[in-house]
């Protein structure tokens, strides 16, 4: 038997030929442009491919690209030319509303400040900023944009993304249950184009997106808080939280990989949050607590809150700690512990308590610590420069606790804070050799350039700042934070007197504070401004709020007249019927009130967010059974994990 006739040689030769054939097919698929599944997001896909920038047909020889009309709700208007001019260094910044410049505009955003700082230090070159920060955009949307904008000859990418990861619902069940070994095998297979082709053929999926457990999102962001029921749709969900953290890390890794393939340098940023200046957006107890334990917890919490208000900080801390021994996961408890500790001069412990409050917040609108840890770890492992903005904000804050000194609200920096972010990004990019500015030139020009930028803030018009406070107020109102919204809107109203929405929002807040007379005065002003309001016609909303104010002020007959006028204009919806029922009840016309409530209930069928108010209305006229039924329906629709306990607490609040 010759050497080549031996069985093991023949098997080896066959395997070699087979492997060569597979490699040849893989190479052919690579050359033909087949993208591997590894380049796709296993957690979320997208429907629609609306571009962010479109060519301006009137731009002449050199094409000018402008923000697409369909994207104007989420991005700053801007334009740039292709090809770039001689000596232009183009920096594209990605992220959410902080990158956008919220609550202001691109003019005072950190992307614009980065270009200005570099321009001041290197006046012989043009540093151009393209701001791709989108309102409510999360990392999975940012990654999609990065690929699209690579066609516009970027010289540097900057990513500041992580505050919006919980705004949109996605599905992670099943994907998180995979054993780590299987997950590793899947990751290897997904890097092969041949496997990708076979997967798509066998699953019958066009465009490479699996239907199974992948969430499909549209071009338009639909935050959970904007949906009917808003804050009540958020609950403690460890599976979802774990999935979001995993997805965020995967997105960072994919961004790094994508940038290497595109040949675009990248700077990642950590994300600071307002820890001491903003209460948690929603708190929730740990599941399974008995009513007796909850009562003891409430006793300690109430005692601590009273002591804190009276300046007895040590007593407050003792009471709060007693409550924490029963349930330490209630976010507001940790926040108030932070207040007490800060007042006692215990900065390190206060910072830990404030951070714990952020981490326990049921509506996580501030980046989790796990996100910043992921940014630092991915940057270190992949050799990508990280601008540690979060650490810098801590260094510049009293006691190392960022608060109102650097933030306008929960995450959006002051105008000075935007410059701080830019300074950290420039320092990081210069040290990594990612910009043309020489490393030894930056220390010499840094302070004069930053001082020049800060001096420019004095020239910012009062109205520009006030309009920012209006936006802050809208954000807080959107999240159900009325005290913070009132403070910001009041600042805006001191300067801006031609936007009806500001007094209207202030009136709504006064109604929640049981101040109907103040609300009615503000609504009267809003009504005068409404016809000329440049934003939107608020007339129907003002009429409804006025009717509610009149009911609360003890003028139900006048409220009925207001509602009759609204009905004549075609505005008699479920909310108007509910108000009509309240006014009729106040006038002692019980049968009519019940009839109107029934009509409102029929009209509002399927509108979850309307059910609590309807339940309260039934309760107020003594109809306890339908009130309980409606509120339980609301709890079940919004996915409350403890409907029995929540209903019990709600009944106690009504009494």
């Amino acid at each position: 038997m010759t050497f080549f006739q031996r069985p093991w040689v023949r098997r080896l030769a066959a395997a070699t030929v087979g492997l060569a054939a597979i490699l040849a097919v893989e190479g052919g698929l690579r050359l033909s442009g087949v993208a591997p599944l590894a380049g796709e997001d296993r957690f979320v896909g997208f429907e629609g491919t609306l571009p962010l920038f479109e060519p301006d047909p009137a731009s002449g020889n050199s094409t000018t690209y402008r923000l697409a009309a369909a994207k104007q709700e989420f991005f700053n208007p801007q334009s740039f030319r292709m090809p770039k001019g001689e000596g232009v260094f183009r920096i594209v910044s990605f992220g959410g509303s902080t990158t956008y410049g919220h609550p202001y505009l691109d003019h005072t955003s950190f992307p614009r400040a980065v270009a200005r700082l570099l321009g001041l230090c290197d006046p012989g070159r043009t540093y151009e900023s393209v701001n791709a920060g989108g309102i409510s955009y999360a990392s999975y949307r940012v990654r999609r944009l990065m690929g699209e904008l690579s066609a516009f000859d970027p010289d540097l990418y900057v990513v500041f993304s992580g505050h919006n990861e919980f705004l949109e619902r996605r599905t992670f069940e099943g994907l998180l249950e995979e054993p780590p070994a299987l997950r590793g095998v899947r990751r290897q297979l997904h890097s092969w184009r041949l496997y990708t082709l076979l997967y798509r053929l066998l699953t019958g999926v066009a465009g490479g997106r699996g239907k199974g457990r992948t969430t499909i999102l549209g071009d338009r962001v639909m935050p959970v808080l904007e949906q009917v029921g808003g804050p009540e749709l958020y609950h403690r969900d460890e599976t979802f939280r774990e999935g979001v953290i995993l997805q965020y890390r995967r997105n960072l890794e994919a961004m790094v990989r994508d940038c290497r393939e595109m040949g675009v340098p990248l700077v990642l940023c950590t994300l600071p949050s307002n820890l001491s200046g903003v209460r948690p957006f929603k708190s929730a107890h740990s599941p399974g607590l008995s009513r007796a334990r909850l009562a003891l917890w409430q006793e300690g919490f109430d005692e601590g809150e009273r002591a804190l208000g009276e300046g007895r900080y040590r007593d407050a801390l003792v009471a709060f700690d007693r409550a924490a021994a029963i349930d330490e996961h209630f976010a507001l408890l940790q926040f108030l512990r932070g207040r007490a500790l800060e007042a006692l001069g215990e900065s390190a412990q206060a910072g830990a308590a404030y951070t714990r409050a952020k981490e326990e917040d049921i509506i996580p609108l501030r980046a989790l610590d796990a996100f910043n840890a992921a940014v630092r770890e991915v940057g270190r492992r992949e050799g990508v420069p990280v601008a540690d903005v979060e650490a810098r904000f801590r260094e510049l804050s009293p006691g190392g606790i960022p608060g109102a000194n650097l933030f306008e609200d929960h995450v959006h920096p002051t105008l000075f804070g935007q410059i701080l972010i830019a300074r950290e990004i420039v320092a990081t990019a210069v040290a990594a050799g990612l910009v043309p500015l020489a490393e030894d030139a930056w220390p010499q020009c840094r302070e004069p350039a930053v001082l020049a930028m800060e001096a420019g803030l004095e020239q910012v018009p009062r109205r520009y700042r006030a309009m920012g406070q209006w936006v802050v107020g809208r954000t807080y109102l959107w999240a159900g934070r009325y005290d913070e919204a009132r403070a910001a809107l009041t600042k805006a109203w001191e300067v801006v007197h031609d936007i009806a929405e500001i007094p209207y929002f202030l009136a709504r807040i006064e109604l929640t504070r049981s101040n109907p007379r103040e609300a009615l005065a503000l609504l009267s002003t809003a009504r005068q401004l409404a016809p000329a309001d440049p934003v939107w016609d608020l007339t129907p909303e003002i009429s409804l709020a006025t009717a509610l104010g009149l009911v609360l002020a003890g003028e139900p007959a006048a409220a009925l007249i207001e509602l009759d006028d609204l009905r004549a204009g075609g505005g008699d919806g479920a909310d108007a019927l509910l108000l009509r029922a309240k006014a009729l009840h106040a006038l002692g016309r019980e049968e009519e009130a019940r009839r109107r409530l029934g009509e409102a209930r029929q009209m509002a069928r399927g509108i979850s967010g309307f059910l609590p108010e309807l339940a309260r209305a039934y309760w107020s006229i003594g109809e306890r059974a339908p009130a309980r039924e409606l509120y339980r329906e609301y709890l079940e629709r919004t996915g409350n994990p403890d409907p029995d306990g929540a209903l019990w607490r709600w009944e106690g609040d009504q009494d």
Side-chain angles (χ1 to χ4, degrees):
M1 178 183 296
T2 66
F3 176 80
F4 293 104
Q5 289 178 326
R6 293 176 181 177
W8 70 269
V9 174
R10 295 173 66 180
R11 286 195 293 270
L12 179 61
T16 303
V17 170
L19 179 59
I22 292 173
L23 292 174
V25 172
E26 180 71 14
L29 292 174
R30 178 188 293 269
L31 292 173
S32 62
V34 174
L37 285 170
E40 300 175 5
D41 191 336
R42 292 184 58 215
F43 299 105
V44 63
F46 292 94
E47 289 182 339
T49 54
L50 295 175
L52 183 58
F53 294 102
E54 298 175 330
D56 184 348
S59 59
N61 296 330
S62 179
T63 302
T64 297
Y65 282 81
R66 298 187 182 280
L67 181 70
K71 301 288 189 178
Q72 290 180 2
E73 181 180 354
F74 297 100
F75 294 86
N76 282 288
Q78 56 199 298
S79 64
F80 53 86
R81 301 182 74 81
M82 283 294 294
K84 292 185 303 189
E86 188 70 26
V88 172
F89 188 90
R90 180 168 290 163
I91 306 168
V92 185
S93 301
F94 299 91
S97 50
T98 297
T99 306
Y100 177 97
H102 189 95
Y104 305 102
L105 302 173
D106 178 50
H107 179 72
T108 49
S109 68
F110 80 74
R112 184 72 70 91
V114 166
R116 285 176 178 163
L117 281 174
L118 286 167
L120 288 170
C121 290
D122 187 9
R125 187 182 303 272
T126 299
Y127 290 90
E128 180 182 73
S129 167
V130 176
N131 188 333
I135 300 295
S136 299
Y137 265 51
S139 60
Y140 44 87
R141 291 185 178 275
V142 165
R143 185 195 168 196
R144 188 186 188 204
L145 279 182
M146 292 172 72
E148 177 187 335
L149 268 61
S150 65
F152 298 118
D153 198 12
D155 294 294
L156 177 65
Y157 274 172
V158 174
V159 173
F160 187 104
S161 178
H163 289 310
N164 298 323
E165 303 303 304
F166 290 88
L167 276 183
E168 293 183 279
R169 274 288 171 192
R170 282 97 69 213
T171 298
F172 298 103
E173 287 80 0
L175 288 168
L176 297 177
E177 297 170 2
E178 289 182 348
L182 176 58
R183 195 176 298 167
V185 171
R186 186 190 295 274
R187 188 179 298 116
Q188 292 298 321
L189 288 173
H190 281 196
S191 66
W192 283 76
R193 289 161 175 80
L194 179 57
Y195 174 86
T196 297
L197 184 63
L198 292 172
Y199 172 83
R200 290 174 179 168
L201 289 173
L202 291 173
T203 56
V205 178
R209 280 206 307 263
K211 294 178 182 178
R213 294 163 296 184
T214 300
T215 303
I216 306 299
L217 300 173
D219 276 301
R220 179 185 173 85
V221 180
M222 294 296 292
V224 175
L225 277 174
E226 287 185 358
Q227 299 173 25
V228 176
E232 295 305 316
L233 296 174
Y234 281 89
H235 304 289
R236 197 182 300 281
D237 187 339
E238 292 304 322
T239 299
F240 183 65
R241 182 187 180 96
E242 182 184 348
V244 170
I245 293 171
L246 176 60
Q247 183 187 30
Y248 181 77
R249 178 178 289 273
R250 293 279 183 84
N251 286 332
L252 291 176
E253 293 168 345
M255 289 175 190
V256 172
R257 183 175 63 248
D258 293 348
C259 284
R260 283 184 178 146
E261 291 178 358
M262 294 182 293
V264 182
L266 171 67
V267 171
L268 295 172
C269 300
T270 57
L271 300 102
S273 297
N274 185 342
L275 297 179
S276 64
V278 176
R279 294 185 173 214
F281 288 95
K282 183 178 179 180
S283 302
H285 285 291
S286 300
L289 287 176
S290 67
R291 294 187 179 185
R293 297 280 287 169
L294 279 172
L296 286 173
W297 182 95
Q298 193 67 50
E299 180 183 305
F301 180 85
D302 291 343
E303 182 181 329
E305 200 168 26
R306 283 193 301 272
L308 187 64
E310 294 169 2
R312 295 184 289 110
Y313 304 119
R314 186 62 64 185
D315 292 341
L317 186 60
V318 170
F320 287 142
D321 285 346
R322 193 166 72 244
I326 299 171
D327 183 9
E328 63 182 356
H329 296 288
F330 200 81
L332 182 57
L333 171 66
Q334 293 294 343
F335 179 83
L336 295 179
R337 285 188 69 252
R339 283 272 172 92
L341 287 162
E342 188 175 21
L344 291 168
E346 303 287 348
S347 296
Q349 294 183 55
Y354 283 133
T355 300
R356 179 74 181 276
K358 171 180 72 72
E359 296 289 299
E360 296 284 359
D361 199 337
I362 302 300
I363 305 179
L365 300 182
R366 295 173 287 180
L368 298 179
D369 280 4
F371 295 168
N372 283 327
V375 171
R376 294 181 179 109
E377 194 275 325
V378 169
R380 182 171 55 252
R381 174 165 45 84
E382 300 293 338
V384 173
V386 172
D388 203 341
V389 180
E390 191 266 347
R392 183 64 172 161
F393 270 49
R394 284 184 180 274
E395 289 173 9
L396 296 177
S397 299
I401 307 171
N405 61 313
L406 292 173
F407 290 95
E408 299 285 8
D409 54 24
H410 58 301
V411 293
H412 300 112
T414 61
L415 298 180
F416 173 69
Q418 290 278 1
I419 294 175
L420 282 181
I421 296 175
R423 173 177 171 167
E424 199 66 24
I425 291 169
V426 171
T428 302
V430 170
L434 302 185
V435 293
L437 182 66
E439 185 173 359
D440 58 354
W442 172 242
Q444 300 175 27
C445 72
R446 177 183 57 211
E447 296 309 319
V450 171
L451 287 173
M453 295 282 291
E454 292 175 12
L457 296 181
E458 298 177 4
Q459 309 303 316
V460 174
R462 287 186 68 215
R463 183 179 175 88
Y464 184 85
R465 292 178 181 271
M467 293 292 280
Q469 291 302 309
W470 169 41
V471 175
V472 169
R474 296 178 84 190
T475 301
Y476 278 132
L477 198 64
W478 172 65
R481 299 307 306 268
Y482 298 119
D483 289 343
E484 290 91 340
R486 181 171 179 262
L489 291 167
T490 299
K491 290 180 182 177
W493 188 232
E494 291 171 356
V495 179
V496 180
H497 298 293
D498 58 348
I499 294 178
E501 189 183 76
I502 300 176
Y504 165 67
F505 280 163
L506 283 169
R508 279 178 48 186
I509 294 168
E510 292 304 323
L511 289 172
T512 67
R513 290 160 53 87
S514 300
N515 295 325
R517 292 298 172 190
E518 290 87 340
L520 288 169
L522 287 162
L523 288 167
S524 176
T525 301
R527 176 166 282 165
Q528 295 172 27
L529 294 173
D533 192 297
V535 182
W536 54 306
D537 183 9
L538 285 165
T539 302
E541 289 82 0
I542 292 170
S543 293
L544 278 172
T546 299
L548 176 58
L550 289 168
V551 170
L552 294 176
E555 300 182 38
L560 287 176
I561 294 172
E562 185 77 32
L563 291 168
D564 286 340
D565 291 341
L566 181 63
R567 180 168 56 187
D572 204 6
D575 42 8
L577 286 168
L578 177 59
L579 280 174
R580 191 177 293 277
K582 290 181 177 180
L584 290 167
H585 171 65
L587 290 168
R589 296 156 62 177
E590 300 299 338
E591 284 304 315
E592 290 182 78
R594 288 186 176 86
R595 190 161 59 250
R596 293 293 178 253
L597 279 179
E599 293 172 4
R601 187 174 183 178
Q602 285 295 113
M603 185 174 289
R605 183 173 294 173
I607 305 176
S608 301
F610 188 67
L611 295 177
E613 189 63 28
L614 194 59
R616 282 191 289 270
Y618 271 103
W619 191 278
S620 68
I621 65 172
E623 298 283 350
R624 302 295 174 89
R628 292 189 185 97
E629 180 185 338
L630 285 164
Y631 198 74
R632 174 173 283 279
E633 181 183 351
Y634 168 71
L635 294 170
E636 291 172 352
R637 283 191 185 183
T638 53
N640 191 289
D642 181 23
D644 291 335
L647 180 60
W648 169 69
R649 288 189 292 273
W650 180 80
E651 289 180 13
D653 291 341
Q654 305 315 300
D655 292 333

